[in-house]
Amino acid sequence: MTYDLTPESASHSANSGELDRQASRIDSAVMKGAHLVAIGVSRGFFSTLTLVRCGLGAVTLIDSQVVEAENIGQTLYATPHLKRLKVDIAKEMILERAPGTKVETYACRAEEVPNLPAILASADAVKIGIDDPRSMFTLAGMSQDAGTASFVHGMSGDGQQHFTAFVRPGGRPLREILPQAWKGVEAGYKPPEFFPSCALHTETMNAAVALIIAGYLHYRAGSPIELMSNIGAGLVEAALATGFNGYHAPSGFLTPIYFGLPA
């Protein structure tokens, strides 16, 4: 068997000179020039790592937690990582796969990061994947005020649905995109310590989140790769993408994330 490696069938990376196998599928130049701020590097870290493997040039990781036993099997972390900071392990995983990636880490809650508004403003996109509902809304609003689009993603509290809400500058705030969740937060609801979780569901969500963010970056850059740009265009129009079930029965609402109300 022979392979056609002419310029018409494949391109080469301008930086490494290596064959760019992503040609016509993902715009490597768009990805390399992009900076993502990832708030939360636990169950949602795989989506960040996938974007790095697709050529993402720079990433800022923000998370205050260490790896606990409950994370093993549910995330990419393993037993040798126990009690180590998640951002440290995440940085190691990124650099193992893409040594040229620029990685900055903050081992604290996002609200405690010095000069957070400036960091958000410097990014091309912000990915918010945390279990604190009120912080989700706060950080999405901060990103919007900083002029940067954010992707708020996660699982519903009953584990029946995953979602990605797209909050863009000048667009609807997160409380209008996820009104039922906002209603619960405003009423003082606090989520349980542990959410139902399954690795299959989590990784399905992560794959979707990575594809959506990459699509937005292509759309924002005006990339001619329609396969990706059309994904971004659709999300800009819809503002909300859902996973397994389009209708979330427990909340009786099309919005899939629902934290509930106090008893």
Side-chain angles (χ1 to χ4, degrees), residues 107-253:
C108 60
R109 296 180 69 253
E111 292 89 341
E112 300 169 346
V113 173
N115 205 21
L116 180 63
I119 293 173
L120 298 177
S122 71
D124 296 285
V126 177
K127 185 171 78 72
I128 303 171
I130 55 179
D131 288 336
D132 184 337
R134 184 169 289 277
S135 289
M136 285 170 45
F137 284 91
T138 298
L139 294 168
M142 289 181 66
S143 180
Q144 195 170 33
D145 291 343
T148 304
S150 65
F151 299 79
V152 183
H153 69 91
M155 300 289 297
S156 58
D158 55 16
Q160 290 191 16
Q161 180 65 284
H162 71 71
F163 72 95
T164 300
F166 175 66
V167 186
R168 61 185 176 88
R172 290 186 293 160
L174 186 61
R175 64 179 178 271
E176 293 183 10
I177 299 172
L178 300 177
Q180 296 294 87
W182 176 246
K183 182 179 178 182
V185 168
E186 283 291 272
Y189 175 79
K190 295 184 182 301
E193 184 177 358
F194 295 103
F195 283 97
S197 184
C198 168
L200 283 172
H201 292 179
T202 299
E203 298 317 330
T204 301
M205 175 193 72
N206 277 314
V209 170
L211 188 63
I212 285 170
I213 293 177
Y216 167 73
L217 293 174
H218 282 67
Y219 171 79
R220 180 174 181 266
S223 171
I225 300 180
E226 292 185 1
L227 176 71
M228 299 303 298
S229 292
N230 287 345
I231 293 172
L235 190 65
V236 167
E237 181 177 347
L240 183 66
T242 63
F244 315 116
N245 306 297
Y247 186 82
H248 190 241
S251 67
F253 197 75

